[in-house]
Amino acid sequence: MKIDRIEAFQVQWSPHDKAEQRSAFVRVRTDDGLYGVGEASPMQGGLASLGMIVHNIAPALIGADPMDQAVLQDRLLHRLVKLGPEGALTGALAAIDIALWDLKGKAFGQPVYKLLGGAWRTALPFYASIGGNGAGRSIDEVLGIVEKRLRDKPAAIKIRFDNPRIDLDEGIADHIAKARAVRKMVGDDFPLAFDANNGYSPSGAIRVGRALEELGYWWFEEPVQHYHVKATGEVARKLSITVSAGEQTYTLGGLAELIEAGVRMIQPDIVKMGGITGLQRAAALAQAHGVELVPHQTQPMIGHLASLHVAAAQLHATKPCEWNDPSTRTHVLFDHPPVPVDGLFHVPDRPGLGIDFDAKALAARRVDIGACD
């Protein structure tokens, strides 16, 4: 079995979507008719990653054995490292890796979690991740969205304060007021998390963290700029609330630096950091250092399922899986879109990831970037 074709394409969810609003996918085909599907990080529509796949990665994979996914990833990472070892390159490699794991599962007739060593659990709780809670949304509007998301029976709620990351500490009083209002609404015992999206200085983060501690929040995500690793560790050490980071860390070395700085919960993203192979390695790193691995994941279909397979096989899964702001617009594109039932996602036992494109729906929305064969 050899790889003989790789397709890279975007999906335009609505006719008015701009290129940077689309999702980024790949399909890896072999000479015996099998194929696997993968997803890249959608930042700016994933165009940088898809371009690397078409021009740099796919030509090097034609004729390769698709079972060698880890060797192929490491070889390409080192060959292309001067394109930038983090970001677009690791997102491109993640898409290929996910597709190769999907293909491998189909080849062996097994779900991916079986190939990872088996599942500790196949019914996984989730937390509802709610974005956009900054100055453009009132407290009542925040509470209205939280109330709506509670109908899906999440195990926890995370409120995110999206911001441009250049005006640090703006709106701290508003953020704390919203955190307090959400706590009052859900009660003292319901698990809550707070995502600052790199919005504070160290002193501002400590101020917010102290308030979150009093409110009984579960964790405090990305309080300061991601590139200030020592400052992230400083905040983590000065607070009793769990401080997490790693969504914007794309290498094992980067995660190790966060852990060494004092971060006790790392959150790499499967579509940004080496796919299933990368996330498995991150889980081993976390276990070796006694820190929590709670993957970041906001892509609702292929990326989400890939992350669920890894979570199913994870020994110390201490927190629920992330489920981003949901939208049924993505469901039409797939044959078995994952949806929670009574507060749980059930990992498919079909071969591979357990998801595929609906051919007709894809044809109507596909925007080709290129193919290599």
Side-chain angles (χ1 to χ4, degrees), residues 239-271:
L239 295 173
S240 60
I241 187 174
T242 296
V243 170
S244 69
E247 172 191 342
Q248 297 170 88
T249 304
Y250 310 125
T251 65
L252 283 179
L255 292 176
E257 289 174 355
L258 283 172
I259 294 170
E260 183 179 358
V263 173
R264 310 310 293 167
M265 177 171 150
I266 56 173
Q267 297 194 270
D269 191 313
I270 200 166
V271 300

Side-chain angles (χ1 to χ4, degrees), residues 125-130 146-158 190-191 320-321 323 340 342-344:
F126 68 93
Y127 71 83
S129 181
I130 303 173
V146 170
E147 182 179 27
K148 182 178 179 181
R149 294 296 303 276
L150 285 170
R151 298 170 193 165
D152 293 319
K153 301 180 181 179
I157 292 281
K158 181 174 81 177
F190 189 86
C321 300
W323 190 31
D342 291 329
L344 297 170

Side-chain angles (χ1 to χ4, degrees), residues 11-31:
V11 166
Q12 184 172 346
W13 298 109
S14 75
H16 305 295
D17 281 353
K18 298 178 182 178
E20 60 268 23
Q21 295 175 306
R22 301 169 186 163
S23 294
F25 299 106
V26 299
R27 185 153 47 188
V28 178
R29 297 183 181 273
T30 65
D31 55 5

Side-chain angles (χ1 to χ4, degrees), residues 177-220:
K178 288 170 179 173
R180 184 172 289 113
V182 172
R183 169 54 74 204
K184 182 178 180 181
M185 175 184 176
V186 301
D188 292 339
D189 297 328
F190 189 86
L192 292 174
F194 185 106
D195 186 351
N197 271 305
N198 317 109
Y200 307 132
S201 67
S203 60
I206 291 170
R207 175 185 168 191
V208 174
R210 298 288 188 219
L212 296 176
E213 289 171 348
E214 293 178 5
L215 293 168
Y217 271 64
W218 210 357
W219 78 82
F220 185 15

Side-chain angles (χ1 to χ4, degrees), residues 93-329:
L93 294 174
I96 294 293
D97 183 82
I98 293 169
L100 292 179
W101 275 102
D102 183 39
L103 196 157
K104 183 180 289 193
K106 292 172 181 174
F108 287 102
Q110 296 291 330
V112 166
Y113 67 78
K114 286 286 188 183
L115 304 183
L116 298 177
W120 293 95
R121 63 204 70 77
T122 56
L124 301 173
F126 68 93
Y127 71 83
S129 181
I130 303 173
N133 298 302
R137 186 175 287 171
S138 69
I139 290 179
D140 287 342
E141 288 171 332
V142 172
L143 296 179
I145 296 171
V146 170
E147 182 179 27
K148 182 178 179 181
R149 294 296 303 276
L150 285 170
R151 298 170 193 165
D152 293 319
K153 301 180 181 179
I157 292 281
K158 181 174 81 177
I159 52 174
R160 308 197 315 266
F161 290 85
D162 310 320
N163 64 83
R165 298 179 174 86
I166 53 176
D167 298 317
L168 301 183
D169 295 346
E170 284 199 358
I172 283 181
D174 175 64
H175 298 175
I176 293 174
K178 288 170 179 173
R180 184 172 289 113
V182 172
R183 169 54 74 204
K184 182 178 180 181
M185 175 184 176
V186 301
D188 292 339
D189 297 328
F190 189 86
L192 292 174
F194 185 106
D195 186 351
N197 271 305
N198 317 109
Y200 307 132
S201 67
S203 60
I206 291 170
R207 175 185 168 191
V208 174
R210 298 288 188 219
L212 296 176
E213 289 171 348
E214 293 178 5
L215 293 168
Y217 271 64
W218 210 357
W219 78 82
F220 185 15
E221 188 168 329
E222 290 198 313
V224 301
Q225 297 280 15
H226 78 280
Y227 45 77
H228 288 320
V229 175
K230 291 182 179 180
T232 304
E234 177 190 358
V235 173
R237 291 192 303 271
K238 289 185 176 180
L239 295 173
S240 60
I241 187 174
T242 296
V243 170
S244 69
E247 172 191 342
Q248 297 170 88
T249 304
Y250 310 125
T251 65
L252 283 179
L255 292 176
E257 289 174 355
L258 283 172
I259 294 170
E260 183 179 358
V263 173
R264 310 310 293 167
M265 177 171 150
I266 56 173
Q267 297 194 270
D269 191 313
I270 200 166
V271 300
K272 297 178 181 179
M273 189 199 152
I276 292 170
T277 300
L279 201 55
Q280 279 282 94
R281 291 170 172 174
L285 179 71
Q287 185 175 357
H289 287 84
V291 304
E292 297 179 79
L293 173 78
V294 183
H296 177 272
Q297 175 46 228
T298 58
Q299 302 318 299
M301 295 295 151
I302 294 177
H304 181 61
L305 268 181
S307 196
L308 289 180
H309 278 275
V310 176
Q314 183 182 347
L315 172 59
H316 294 141
T318 58
K319 300 289 191 299
C321 300
E322 183 171 17
W323 190 31
N324 196 30
D325 306 306
S327 170
T328 57
R329 69 176 188 162

